[in-house]
Amino acid sequence: MSTATPAEPLRVVVLVSGTGTNLQALLDAQGASDPTGRKGYAVVAVGADRPGTGGEERAAGRGIPTFTVRLADYPTREEWDRALLENVSAHTPDLVVLAGFMKLIGPEFLRTHPTINSHPALLPSFPGAHGVRDALAHGVKVTGCTIFWVDDGVDTGAIIDQRAVRVAAGDTEETLHERIKVEERVMFVETVRGLAADRAAWLT
Ligand code: GRF
């Protein structure tokens, strides 16, 4: 963990598995001052669990260091956990952001790095890998997205923020997820800015 003071940007490592539009929103907003004049946050590295993610490309295009830690390259899950931890720790983050990272994070990692995740449903409803599909199948009229502190459960950690999105007639999983992601990107930026501005409340 770094020793960033409030005058320095919060050091953020982002982990991705996919296209990285939430990462893009975080990259676009980084460095902006918060209303008290403090510096906000900086994405200091982006990691992925598979090669060729759009997320890594977006980071590399901005000269931000990237790394890939593939599960298939390690004989056990524990060794992959350790490799992920080492790669992330090398960038001394204050905060790790999971932005569409589709792997569970090991307990030692979570003891070492405060980590947040976003889920495309209103937790505690519809946790797991298919939150949008499950909400749609249930017939809810309002769903949304949730940012939470990652703990050792699946989408069970303390909720930081949520945004509601109405389900439209004729929505498919794809159309609904796209509208949720519009809200999710705004929520991600506001949450990380908020955590950067008020780090005394959570950063020990
Ligand atoms: C987000 O909706 C996230 O909540 C889910 O996967 C999506 C990632 O989107 N786990 P992107 O890669 O940031 O575009």
Side-chain angles (χ1 to χ4, degrees):
M1 195 175 290
S2 91
T3 54
T5 69
E8 297 168 331
L10 190 78
R11 295 176 63 81
V12 176
V13 169
V14 182
L15 298 181
V16 297
S17 298
T19 54
T21 63
N22 283 291
L23 166 68
Q24 185 71 53
L26 286 165
L27 291 174
D28 290 345
Q30 70 175 338
S33 296
D34 66 53
T36 63
R38 287 177 293 193
K39 276 192 179 167
Y41 66 87
V43 177
V44 295
V46 172
D49 65 334
R50 60 199 72 185
T53 61
E56 259 192 298
E57 266 172 43
R58 291 172 198 270
R62 296 207 179 196
I64 294 171
T66 64
F67 57 88
T68 303
V69 188
R70 280 193 343 147
L71 188 53
D73 291 338
Y74 296 87
T76 65
R77 178 69 187 223
E78 289 69 30
E79 284 167 83
W80 178 82
D81 279 343
R82 215 164 17 250
L84 184 69
L85 175 56
E86 280 168 13
N87 274 271
V88 168
S89 298
H91 298 282
T92 59
D94 300 304
L95 178 72
V96 176
V97 173
L98 309 185
F101 189 65
M102 300 307 284
K103 291 271 189 313
L104 295 177
I105 300 288
E108 193 188 345
F109 187 112
L110 295 177
R111 278 194 299 275
T112 309
H113 298 297
T115 302
I116 63 171
N117 192 9
S118 175
H119 180 69
L122 292 175
L123 293 173
S125 295
F126 311 114
H130 304 292
V132 180
R133 187 187 308 171
D134 294 345
L136 204 51
H138 196 89
V140 297
K141 301 303 172 205
V142 176
T143 183
C145 46
T146 304
I147 288 208
F148 58 98
W149 291 107
V150 179
D151 65 10
D152 54 9
V154 177
D155 301 332
T156 51
I159 291 172
I160 301 171
D161 200 4
Q162 295 185 300
R163 302 292 157 99
V165 174
R166 284 199 69 80
V167 179
D171 255 339
T172 63
E173 184 178 355
E174 289 70 34
T175 59
L176 180 56
H177 199 171
E178 276 312 311
R179 284 207 316 292
I180 290 171
K181 281 170 66 168
V182 171
E183 294 298 322
E184 198 174 27
R185 293 191 276 266
V186 174
M187 180 174 64
F188 249 131
V189 167
E190 288 183 4
T191 298
V192 177
R193 276 188 179 157
L195 291 172
D198 193 19
R199 60 192 81 175
W202 60 275
L203 188 56
T204 52

